[in-house]
Amino acid sequence: NSTLRTPRAQATQLSISGRLGENPWGEFGISFGDGFLNRLDIGYRIQYNDYHLYYKGKRLAPIVNLNHRAYINLANISRGHFNFQAGLRYDHYNYRDILALRDTIKSNLHGSGSYVTYQASLQYNNLESHTFPRSGILLKLNYNLLTSNFVHLNNHSPAHILSYKYKHIVRLTNSVKFIPQIDGRVIFKEFDQTPIPFVNYIGGNEN
């Protein structure tokens, strides 16, 4: 990662990040100023994913895709421990194969294609440190409205997706902390109308 900032109150920040090795990705982002909406964020990310899907303990198929993502946060407002973000995200997925997994996933599920998501998030974070916090909590709520053409999702109504994250630092001794964390995600959409990249999975490197 490399980040450059202009030394002014109305700062511009340029960031380039990447990861090599398994499931590599690269990301470019730029943020503008501290105006009425606090900050405007624009970015692009490309990621290669290669993982396996299991059903009842048996490996069914590899999932290989290339994801292009562009995003813009029209609002990024921080006040004290609170942060609010709202914006628009564009995703394009290119799958090597369309998966049909018995009765679990129907063969008419959409995989490759382009999707537009309206998103908003609210976060409360008073963790004492980002890397090794000794006290505090983190609570984040996300809402996404998933479409394929800004209005509909593959000729159906859009999908509503809610997710949350909660982390709490529990002090056992001065040197030992217990950090319980819970993540959740609910999709308000028929399963066979939800595109493969956005369904819920259990296990793996991602939540």
Side-chain angles (χ1 to χ4, degrees):
N1 169 269
S2 179
T3 301
L4 302 175
R5 296 178 177 89
T6 57
R8 303 197 308 269
Q10 298 291 330
T12 299
Q13 176 176 298
L14 176 66
S15 177
I16 300 175
S17 305
R19 181 177 71 188
L20 301 177
E22 188 176 8
N23 297 328
W25 56 264
E27 183 170 357
F28 167 84
I30 186 169
S31 300
F32 300 96
D34 188 21
F36 176 71
L37 292 180
N38 199 41
R39 198 166 77 232
L40 174 68
D41 304 316
I42 300 174
Y44 167 77
R45 178 186 178 101
I46 182 171
Q47 180 167 353
Y48 173 85
N49 297 296
D50 183 0
Y51 54 96
H52 296 280
L53 195 63
Y54 289 78
Y55 179 65
K56 294 185 177 180
K58 295 182 179 180
R59 191 174 73 180
L60 291 180
I63 297 179
V64 179
N65 68 60
L66 186 66
N67 172 220
H68 298 270
R69 170 173 294 180
Y71 61 87
I72 178 170
N73 285 329
L74 299 174
N76 190 338
I77 304 171
S78 296
R79 296 293 182 269
H81 298 301
F82 289 92
N83 175 259
F84 171 77
Q85 295 185 23
L88 192 67
R89 188 180 75 223
Y90 168 84
D91 283 286
H92 179 78
Y93 286 89
N94 183 14
Y95 277 81
R96 178 182 296 176
D97 298 301
I98 297 296
L99 301 178
L101 305 178
R102 300 176 185 171
D103 296 330
T104 309
I105 297 181
K106 297 183 179 180
S107 60
N108 64 344
L109 271 179
H110 301 275
S112 299
S114 299
Y115 305 94
V116 177
T117 303
Y118 302 92
Q119 55 185 6
S121 69
L122 178 64
Q123 176 177 280
Y124 176 81
N125 183 356
N126 71 341
L127 295 178
E128 179 265 341
S129 167
H130 175 74
T131 308
F132 298 108
R134 295 178 293 180
S135 62
I137 66 172
L138 169 66
L139 176 62
K140 187 173 184 179
L141 305 174
N142 290 278
Y143 168 73
N144 290 344
L145 182 67
L146 175 64
T147 74
S148 55
N149 62 0
F150 293 93
V151 179
H152 302 99
L153 178 58
N154 299 321
N155 298 320
H156 298 283
S157 60
H160 302 269
I161 303 175
L162 294 176
S163 61
Y164 62 87
K165 177 178 183 178
Y166 176 75
K167 177 190 291 188
H168 187 189
I169 312 300
V170 180
R171 179 182 178 275
L172 300 181
T173 70
N174 288 334
S175 303
V176 180
K177 306 296 183 293
F178 176 61
I179 310 178
Q181 178 175 313
I182 183 172
D183 297 83
R185 188 169 182 264
V186 182
I187 304 172
F188 296 92
K189 189 64 180 174
E190 293 82 355
F191 181 73
D192 58 358
Q193 295 178 9
T194 305
I196 291 175
F198 301 95
V199 299
N200 287 331
Y201 296 96
I202 295 177
N205 295 327
E206 305 294 335
N207 290 332

